[in-house]
Amino acid sequence: MRMKELVERTGVPRTTIHHYQREGLLPPARKTAANTAVYGPEHEERVRLVTALRGEELGPFAIDAIRSILAMIDRGIEPDVAASLHSIPGTPGLAARDTPVDAEIRLEDLARETSLGEATIRELTRVGLLAGHPEAGGASMSFDPADAAISRLIAEVLADDALRPTDLEPVVELVRELVRYEHALLGFATTGLEGREAVARRNRLYRALHALHTHLYARMIVHDEPA
C-alpha cells in the first residue's frame, strides 16, 4: 500500500507516520522509486501499536519509552505485558544508566564483564535464569540489558562458591508456576471485557500483583529469619 492508504487505514496523519519513521518506531518502507515507498501489513500493525502506546489504550508513553516497549515486543512479549512491565517502578533501572534499553550484549562481553565465564552464563540460560537468544549461525548468543543486570547480581551470589547455577533452578520453576497461576487469574478477572477496558484492568492487576510479590516476600523474609 502507499502512504495515502496507510493513513486512511490507520487514521494517523502522514506527518505523524513520518515522525514515527524518523524515531525508528516503524520498519523501513520498501522503496520502489526515488520518491515512492510501499508499506505492508507490518507497517499498519506497528502504526496501530504505537498509537495505542501513545494513547490511553496501552499508555500514554513517551517516544523513548515506546522504543523500549517495542524492543520487548519484538523479543516476543505481548504488547500489554510489555507496557505493564515498563510501568512497574524500578523496571527501567535494571539496565545500566548509560546502556540503551534495547542494546544487546554479546555472550563474550557479558562473560568478561561479570567474570562468570561463558560456560556459566550458558548454564544460567539453560536453567531459565537468563533469556539469551542465539545469534546468526548459533555459535554465540546475546542478552538484553535486564539479563546483563541480573547476571551481575548472580555473579555476586556465586562469587564465594557457596552456590552453583543449578542450585537456583528450583527458583525458576517456582516462579514459572506462579506465573501460570496468575496468568489464569488475569484471564478470569477480565472475562467478558474487551478492548481498552480489558487492557486497563489487566494493567492494574499486573501492577497490584507486582506490589503484592514485593510485600509478601519482604514480610516472609522478616518473619522467617532466626531470632
Side-chain angles (χ1 to χ4, degrees):
M1 74 184 86
R2 300 290 179 87
M3 173 62 77
K4 180 180 179 181
E5 185 178 354
L6 183 61
V7 169
E8 292 174 349
R9 293 173 68 94
T10 61
V12 176
R14 178 190 299 262
T15 53
T16 301
I17 293 177
H18 283 315
H19 175 61
Y20 292 165
Q21 288 178 309
R22 288 193 298 272
E23 293 292 340
L25 304 181
L26 304 180
R30 183 168 62 88
K31 290 284 188 179
T32 58
N35 297 315
T36 307
V38 175
Y39 302 86
E42 69 276 13
H43 294 92
E44 179 181 349
E45 179 182 352
R46 185 53 67 99
V47 169
R48 293 185 186 280
L49 178 56
V50 173
T51 300
L53 290 166
R54 291 281 282 171
E56 297 294 332
E57 186 175 346
L58 290 175
F61 291 102
I63 292 295
D64 286 345
I66 291 174
R67 192 176 292 112
S68 173
I69 294 168
L70 291 177
M72 287 192 279
I73 292 171
D74 289 340
R75 290 195 293 269
I77 299 176
E78 291 296 321
D80 54 343
V81 177
S84 297
L85 287 173
H86 193 278
S87 298
I88 293 172
T91 299
L94 285 173
R97 290 181 182 273
D98 56 351
T99 302
V101 292
D102 57 349
E104 292 288 334
I105 302 172
R106 301 189 74 239
L107 169 65
E108 296 82 355
D109 296 329
L110 187 58
R112 182 170 55 254
E113 178 187 339
T114 61
S115 300
L116 283 171
E118 292 185 25
T120 299
I121 291 177
R122 289 185 184 276
E123 182 67 6
L124 293 170
T125 304
R126 185 193 68 78
V127 302
L129 287 163
L130 302 178
H133 53 273
E135 294 185 342
S140 185
M141 59 177 61
S142 57
F143 302 83
D144 64 23
D147 266 344
I150 293 300
S151 297
R152 298 181 194 107
L153 295 176
I154 293 175
E156 294 179 10
V157 172
L158 301 180
D160 57 7
D161 296 323
L163 295 175
R164 299 169 299 176
T166 51
D167 293 326
L168 300 174
E169 189 170 1
V171 176
V172 178
E173 292 303 317
L174 289 169
V175 172
R176 186 174 288 128
E177 192 61 33
L178 176 62
V179 168
R180 289 193 191 103
Y181 172 74
E182 291 187 350
H183 182 75
L185 193 68
L186 289 166
F188 175 77
T190 55
T191 299
L193 299 181
E194 295 181 357
R196 186 176 302 175
E197 188 177 3
V199 171
R201 179 175 293 182
R202 186 176 298 179
N203 287 346
R204 287 198 302 271
L205 287 171
Y206 273 125
R207 295 184 180 95
L209 289 170
H210 176 75
L212 183 61
H213 296 163
T214 305
H215 170 70
L216 290 176
Y217 188 82
R219 291 189 66 175
M220 289 178 183
I221 287 292
V222 169
H223 289 300
D224 287 346
E225 284 184 347

